[in-house]
Every structure is written in structure tokens, then in C-alpha cells.
Amino acid sequence: MPSNKSVSDAPITQFINCRILRDHQLQREDLWVREGRILDPEKLFFDEHGYADNCVDCEGSIIAPGFIDVQINGGYGIDFSQASEDVSKGISFVAKRILEHGVTSFCPTLVTSPPVVYHKVTSPVKIVEKKGAHPEQYLRTFRSGGIEDLMEAYGSLDNVAMVTLAPELASSQSVVRELCQRGITVSLGHSVANLSQAEEAVQNGASFITHLFNAMLPFHHRDPGIVGLLTSDQVPAGRTVYYGMIADGIHTNPAALRIAHRAHPSGLVLVTDAITAMGLPPGRHTLGQQVIEIQGLHAYVAGTKTLSGSIATMDMCVRHFKQASGCSVEEALEAASLHPAQLLGISHKKGNLDYGSDADLVIIDDALNVRATYINGEEVWRKEP
């Protein structure tokens, strides 16, 4: 129990026999949690004279921050882009299922859809030439000059965390500025933009690239397009351009994955881009207004060879990224935790194990398999023995 000097009567949990990811390194030390936050043990011992009420033996495992997936379209039969009277029920169902894959936070993502569907996340403002699996009839340009088109499509931007748009569209730069002023992360993607157009968008506040290499112009030595942002000298000082990578072994060749990581390691954000069929057997499923066919590990728009999201889980992506890139364990874990938190502007409370941060944790073995998941210091999933 806490001592009489303790600032709180809440129970304290001590995680022992573990290596924790802190300051970009795995450190062999205990982790202390109270009231859903990570404690500074020195203050606990010397200022409060407190000690643990509960002890969790991690048996030599790694403790990392909970994974954050900023692009997930659904899973386990739930499609976030299908209109529903109870959206929260589907989101909650997926949230519970992905705990076994170490995901403690995520952005429910909507693909291009009719306006009636929009409640939350991804914009329909994409370029037709690089529409990917997005239905062309619902793609929009900025017809009335900017932000009004988004309001017409969404009705509200109150619950929107991120919008993907094509920066070459007329009036797109003013929309980038307006969205950033509202605290919404702007991502560039589904686009045929050249490098200068992409750089202008970044200078106006854009900070992310949607699934790098996919649904954009291929790299060219005279004009590298959006891909060139990874090494651009026109990114404002102090700013980082992050980029999503679907490290499922299908969307991106391992050599391309290595090129991106070695060019800009601190910007890499692992995303699943998972669709309804994640966790389901092969067959036909929906993604928004499209029918998707699962063949092995590939998800195609039915009747085509157009890739349409993935059926990968975040822990699979972490493992494949480490294997394909040759990066360290720390780098692989931070690409699924710290980097997405920095992208979303929430790294003061999530994506790390700093003192005072939320105790969203994943316990993993040396092969990066998830053994247990915690949210706010409470165990929410554990692998059966």
C-alpha cells in the first residue's frame, strides 16, 4: 500500500523482470504504474515512500508502448465505411479484437464514400488517375473553392483526425492550411503530384504521406514526386514529414522498404490499411462501396488485380518490417508507437514510456509476438498459455 506521504491512495503496479523501451533503447529496469500513468520511481520512493501493491513478472519480455494504427478501414467483418445506425458498436468490436495484436489506439478510416457515410476520418478528395480501390463516382475536386467542399461532404469535421488529399488539385493548398489550423493532420496521397506541389503542401502544414509508393507517381530521377519529400531540402526547419508503410510483404517490395527507411528512418509509420476481411477466411467482402476478394494474403477489388488495403495485423507488420529492413528491435517498435503518436501530436501522452505518459503497454517476446496488452495500466488481453 502507498505510505502516508503518498499523493494518492490508488494501487501501484510494478512490472518486473522486463526490458522497457525508453529513450530509443531497451533498458533493463522495472516499470511502475498508478492511475493509468507511468510513475517516476525515484519520486515514488524518496518523496512518497511508496511501494507496489501488485507485481507483474514479465519473465524477461519486452515492454513497449501500445501500437497506434493511423490507417485501418475495419476488420473481423466490420467495415467502417458502411453506413450504420451504431457506428460506435462496430468500432468497439474491432478495438477489442486488435488488442491481441498490440494495438491500443487507432484512427478508424473511411475510404471514399457517399456523403451520408462520413462520420470521421479519411477524405474523398483524391485524384482519379491514382484512385486505387476508391470508387471513382465518389471522388471529388474542390468545386466551390476549398473547405466548403469538405463541409458539404462531411457535414462536420469535429471528429476528423486526418484527411488525405491530392495536393495538385486546384484550391488544395488553401484547404491544407485551413485543416491544419483546425488541428487536423493532412496527408498527401492518391495523387499524381510532382515534388514541388508536394513541397508546397508541406510548407502549408501537411505532415504525412499515405501509404508511400502506393497510389502515387513512381519515383523518377528528374521529378521524384511525393516520394521525394523523404529527402527534400524544402521541408521547413523543425518539421518532420512522416510516411505510412504497409509492411505486409505485398504492398511494398522489401528493397523499396529498405530505401525508404534508410533515407528517412525517423518518419516511418507502420500502418495496416486493414480492411473488413482482416481476421476472416478467404472469399468476398466489402470495403465501402466496393466488393473485395481475398486470395491468400492479397486483397483485390473483385475481378481485378488492384490491391485494396490489406489483411495484415500490426504485429505482423512490425515483424516483417524488422526482417525486411534489417532495422533494430527498437526502430521496429517505435515505427508502430512513437512515430504515429508524434504524427498525431499526442506523443506527450502516448507512444512512449516516459514518466507521466498513459500506461498503454504491449508485452512482447524477443520474436516480437504479443503476449499481453494493457490500457491505462489494466490488462485487457493476454495470450493463453
Side-chain angles (χ1 to χ4, degrees):
M1 292 291 293
S3 76
N4 291 334
K5 294 184 179 181
S6 176
V7 298
S8 172
D9 292 329
I12 296 170
T13 299
Q14 178 187 9
F15 295 81
I16 66 170
N17 193 14
C18 54
R19 290 160 290 157
I20 68 174
L21 179 59
R22 180 176 287 154
D23 296 329
H24 315 296
Q25 295 180 330
L26 289 178
Q27 305 180 21
R28 192 170 290 279
E29 58 182 87
D30 297 349
L31 188 74
W32 298 75
V33 173
R34 178 174 61 197
E35 294 183 313
R37 300 283 183 87
I38 296 172
L39 287 177
D40 180 345
E42 287 193 8
K43 291 184 178 179
L44 175 66
F45 300 152
F46 298 113
D47 296 348
E48 301 184 36
H49 298 179
Y51 53 90
D53 299 274
N54 309 300
C55 187
V56 178
D57 187 348
C58 299
E59 302 177 340
S61 296
I62 296 168
I63 298 182
F67 300 151
I68 302 170
D69 193 350
V70 301
Q71 188 177 4
I72 174 171
N73 309 289
Y76 307 96
I78 301 297
D79 181 357
F80 297 147
S81 297
Q82 288 290 332
S84 170
E85 294 299 321
D86 191 356
V87 174
S88 61
K89 182 179 179 180
I91 292 174
S92 295
F93 179 78
V94 173
K96 290 176 182 177
R97 294 298 302 269
I98 59 180
L99 292 171
E100 66 182 280
H101 303 295
V103 178
T104 56
S105 301
F106 65 100
C107 294
T109 306
L110 279 69
V111 299
T112 303
S113 304
V116 69
V117 171
Y118 288 110
H119 298 281
K120 294 174 290 296
V121 187
T122 303
S123 168
V125 186
K126 306 172 189 285
I127 198 74
V128 171
E129 185 176 339
K130 290 294 180 181
K131 64 186 179 66
H134 294 255
E136 185 172 330
Q137 65 269 36
Y138 300 120
L139 294 167
R140 299 169 64 109
T141 57
F142 297 111
R143 293 171 300 188
S144 54
I147 197 72
E148 296 83 3
D149 292 287
L150 290 187
M151 301 305 296
E152 180 184 336
Y154 296 134
S156 170
L157 295 172
D158 291 345
N159 295 317
V160 174
M162 184 185 303
V163 168
T164 294
L165 56 78
E168 69 274 24
L169 294 175
S171 302
S172 64
Q173 301 299 337
S174 65
V175 174
V176 172
R177 289 192 296 271
E178 175 69 23
L179 289 172
C180 292
Q181 288 169 5
R182 295 178 182 225
I184 296 171
T185 299
V186 174
S187 184
L188 309 180
H190 290 272
S191 165
V192 293
N194 59 36
L195 178 57
S196 64
Q197 291 166 329
E199 288 172 335
E200 183 181 3
V202 169
Q203 290 160 2
N204 283 318
S207 57
F208 193 47
I209 303 171
T210 298
H211 45 51
L212 187 76
F213 298 125
N214 290 276
M216 62 185 61
L217 289 178
F219 179 90
H220 190 280
H221 59 285
R222 292 196 184 94
D223 190 336
I226 291 177
V227 177
L229 288 174
L230 271 62
T231 57
S232 171
D233 60 1
Q234 297 302 305
V235 176
R239 291 267 310 282
T240 298
V241 175
Y242 296 92
Y243 58 98
M245 291 293 281
I246 309 172
D248 61 353
I250 295 169
H251 278 78
T252 307
N253 184 280
L257 183 58
R258 287 190 291 272
I259 288 171
H261 176 247
R262 292 173 189 177
H264 186 24
S266 63
L268 194 148
V269 174
L270 291 175
V271 301
T272 62
D273 198 18
I275 62 170
T276 320
M278 179 180 65
L280 297 181
R284 291 200 167 198
H285 307 276
T286 63
L287 176 61
Q289 311 304 305
Q290 302 272 41
V291 176
I292 305 304
E293 188 166 6
I294 305 303
Q295 300 176 16
L297 296 177
H298 295 73
Y300 297 115
V301 175
T304 77
K305 289 298 180 181
T306 299
L307 286 171
S308 178
S310 81
I311 55 174
T313 58
M314 184 57 81
D315 55 330
M316 289 172 55
C317 291
V318 170
R319 291 191 294 270
H320 178 74
F321 171 50
K322 180 181 181 300
Q323 183 273 325
S325 69
C327 72
S328 66
V329 168
E330 293 91 337
E331 288 177 304
L333 294 173
E334 288 187 342
S337 55
L338 177 62
H339 296 176
Q342 291 171 332
L343 164 68
L344 295 173
I346 58 173
S347 59
H348 59 288
K349 60 181 179 179
K350 295 190 183 296
N352 60 71
L353 302 181
D354 295 344
Y355 304 139
S357 290
D358 293 347
D360 295 350
L361 319 170
V362 57
I363 299 179
I364 56 178
D365 62 23
D366 286 344
L368 303 183
N369 297 303
V370 178
R371 297 181 58 185
T373 304
Y374 287 73
I375 292 181
N376 291 329
E378 299 291 331
E379 183 180 293
V380 290
W381 182 83
R382 179 170 289 274
K383 186 176 182 179
E384 295 181 358

